[in-house]
Amino acid sequence: MAKKALVIVESPSKAKTIQKYLGREYIVKASVGHIKDLPKSKLGVDPKKGFEPDYQVIPTKVKVIEELKKASKLVPELYLATDPDREGEAIAWHIHEELKARGKKFHRVLFNAITKPSVLEAMSHPQTLNSDKYHAQQARRILDRLVGYKISPLLWDKVKRGISAGRVQSVALRLVVDRETEIKAFKPEEYWEVHGTFSKDGVNFEAKLFKTNGKDPVLADQATVDQLLKSLSQAPFSVLAIEQKERSRKPSPPFITSKLQQEAARKLGFSAKKTMTLAQQLYEGIDLGDLGTHGLITYMRTDCVRTDPAAIQSAREYITAHYGKNYLPEEPNLYKSKKNAQEAHEAIRPTSLDYPPERIQHFLEKDSFRLYQLIWNRFISSQMNPAIYDQTAVDLSATDGAGRLQQFRATGSVLKFAGFTAVYIEGFEEGEKSEDSQDGALKLPKIQPGDAVKNEVLTPSQHFTQAPPRYTDASLIRDLEEKGIGRPSTYASILSNIQDREYVEKREGRYYPSELGTVVTELLTASFPDILNSEFTASMENQLDDIEEGSADWKKILGKFWKPFEKTLETAKKQMKNIKQQEVPTDIQCEKCQHNFVIKWGKLGSFLACSNYPECKNTQDFKKDDQGKIVIIPKEFTDKKCEKCQKPLIVKNGKFGKFLACSDYPNCKYTQAITLGIPCPSCSEGEIAQKRSKYGRFFYSCNKWPKCTFALWDKPITSPCPQCKFPLLTEKITKRAGLMHKCPQKECDYLEIIDPNYGKAPTEEPSAKAAS
């Protein structure tokens, strides 16, 4: 059968789904992401020749290109169907460059959703390649290359080899570092609140002091509070005013990328990277058994809240059928996107309401289901009526002994009509109060303004102001978005980069800057104030948007950036502080020679070294307490001996976790991994140790490496294989099979399911009306 056309997408899974929709008349292939990029070994950009980029075929994509060229010989036309964003446009252009010599006719198609109707519609209305969008991506790539490849070598020379600077990631890191500086500089201030219990006709109710002579009360210490309570002890209280009103709360618009990442972090505990990985899978297509393969959500990289009118109509019909007409507004809810939003894209929504979450739950992994349910509920709720609350406020007043008018307020609100909250309630950060939270009904006696009430008891409570909270995924993405740093497609990679490069660490979901991250930020802020400036970075993002819209020339934008940057770079080479050579004096004495220690910088960060070096080579690890005081970390000795000098080994912390080192360092630099106590099955000398690869993945190998090369990816356990008698098994955990033991020998197929429910949460039958 002659083929009509070759359709090229980015991912194999998407290619598989689209192939089913288009049938055997078409050939559908995947580029598997970018096929060309700037070279790793050199700058690859020539500012003197109009910023001409030296794009090269990525070595691992040579075979992919050969397959695409081979397939293109069989068809008269090619459809470039890579993702509908700047990166996808760049991939389409690079594919076009590699295949255009064959004289074929090219089309550009944009799939906002991977469903059969959407795919067929896009194929029937092909477009041309968008040069403005490509130039915007190319300008971003060149900007990032210029910053990264020009600043990073400076950091290698001044701080540590192998670290890097990024145009956007460095600004995100600065936010984390600046927040930590705020927290450490914060001085708590004392303040007090006064709550009162009042009564009338035997009915008690609570109220809080909220105004003194019409202004916010200032209660800074206990003495002030005691004086206030004394002055009110005999004062008569009366009802000043009663206000009852109806309050409505409107639903939020359907998700854009940033809001999806924030809500998935708050409600589901997902990192931005995990959210985007799962969303990509939902977009590209899920096998629903007899129902076929379907893309379940629209394209997940968007900053636009626009929704297709047909989808809105479907949502309105669904709401009427499942919740009733009371929940449906007379006219569809319409939402306005922010300035510079890409209106060509829709908001993130389900592609079809034929697949409610509970219907297809058994086809989805647990986390994929939870994310799909979140997207579904948010979209449905966006087209529902507001929630209605009855709110009551009662103000009480008394004149204290000093002649000041003291006002107490009692408040309460009750949900009168659930509206959209029957489906979805927006999440909020710890410490924040949700707009949907209810105070509860305010139980009041029959009272009117002017009525006297009895003061039963006034209760003071002491509080202290709190430092600003450390960033979470949700709050950091929110600030990046509000400050215009990055774009929807970049937030996940920004957060991943600053963690992967060990500039920050995450503890209990919050970001802490590492010593390395703090040092790098301080150096870059001093030498490159524009690059580390939020407003400057946001301005660059806007200029990239202008390039995409065709209102700015990409070469002129780069030229405007490069000239001042080049001058700043030359100054930084001469003036940037050299942390490697820096020695900071301390008043801490060396216990070996009584000279003072100095703080020096090494591969693993700062440490204390004797100022009498090289006569005394004593070093100590240290940390700083909350007041910035140096605290020496005592050495943790073990009963193991150094294989080189027989001195005791001590436990030290390194880049990849704890390890053993000779206590006579730096005279002896012997190190050894901490072992699991399991003998190596390959040699008679070593033990198995847990190690971590440069990509952060744990593995297990013999501690006599490289003499013994035995290694495993899965954790070993001291239990021989009952089938082949190999001296150990490995432990593996998967979502589908749970906990299992298997033999690591390739020729042995022994596998035993130990606990099929290990690590799985109890399943619940979801309710169609359950809040997300």
Side-chain angles (χ1 to χ4, degrees), residues 389-601:
Y389 300 85
D390 276 338
Q391 187 167 293
T392 303
V394 176
D395 288 353
L396 312 176
S397 65
T399 301
D400 65 18
R404 296 169 302 184
L405 181 67
Q406 304 289 353
Q407 288 177 247
F408 284 70
R409 173 166 287 181
T411 59
S413 64
V414 179
L415 182 64
K416 183 178 180 181
F417 173 67
F420 75 94
T421 65
V423 179
Y424 183 87
I425 296 176
E426 192 164 2
F428 56 97
E429 289 285 289
E430 184 180 346
E432 295 178 346
K433 186 176 181 181
S434 168
E435 293 186 56
D436 298 297
S437 61
Q438 301 168 44
D439 300 317
L442 180 58
K443 296 180 180 178
L444 296 171
K446 292 183 178 180
I447 53 175
Q448 298 291 332
D451 285 355
V453 294
K454 184 180 179 183
N455 169 14
E456 296 288 349
V457 62
L458 298 179
T459 307
S461 58
Q462 184 187 38
H463 304 274
F464 292 90
T465 55
Q466 298 293 310
R470 290 181 175 87
Y471 280 112
T472 61
D473 272 36
S475 59
L476 185 51
I477 291 171
R478 179 197 64 209
D479 272 18
L480 290 172
E481 182 183 29
E482 288 179 354
K483 295 176 185 296
I485 303 167
R487 284 296 180 260
S489 60
T490 64
Y491 297 138
S493 62
I494 291 170
L495 269 57
S496 293
N497 282 341
I498 60 176
Q499 293 176 77
D500 294 344
R501 291 167 182 172
E502 299 186 335
Y503 290 148
V504 302
E505 60 176 311
K506 231 174 169 184
R507 296 183 221 153
E508 298 179 345
R510 295 196 176 269
Y511 284 93
Y512 291 74
S514 67
E515 183 180 31
L516 177 63
T518 302
V519 166
V520 167
T521 298
E522 289 172 351
L523 293 179
L524 294 181
T525 302
S527 295
F528 299 93
D530 280 348
I531 297 295
L532 270 287
N533 182 279
S534 297
E535 289 78 11
F536 179 82
T537 305
S539 172
M540 287 304 307
E541 294 292 351
N542 290 333
Q543 290 178 68
L544 292 171
D545 291 342
D546 292 340
I547 295 169
E548 181 170 345
E549 292 168 7
S551 59
D553 181 87
W554 70 278
K555 290 185 179 181
K556 288 182 180 179
I557 295 293
L558 290 174
K560 187 179 177 182
F561 167 83
W562 173 251
K563 288 180 181 178
F565 176 68
E566 190 177 27
K567 291 180 181 178
T568 305
L569 193 66
E570 292 305 314
T571 303
K573 288 177 182 178
K574 300 171 186 175
Q575 297 182 358
M576 183 182 281
K577 189 189 302 180
N578 193 318
I579 300 298
K580 287 182 180 179
Q581 297 175 1
Q582 181 176 270
E583 294 185 358
V584 181
T586 76
D587 56 3
I588 301 173
Q589 275 194 347
C590 169
E591 73 276 12
K592 291 186 177 181
C593 71
Q594 280 67 58
H595 283 75
N596 281 2
F597 278 120
V598 294
I599 299 174
K600 297 189 73 172
W601 184 266

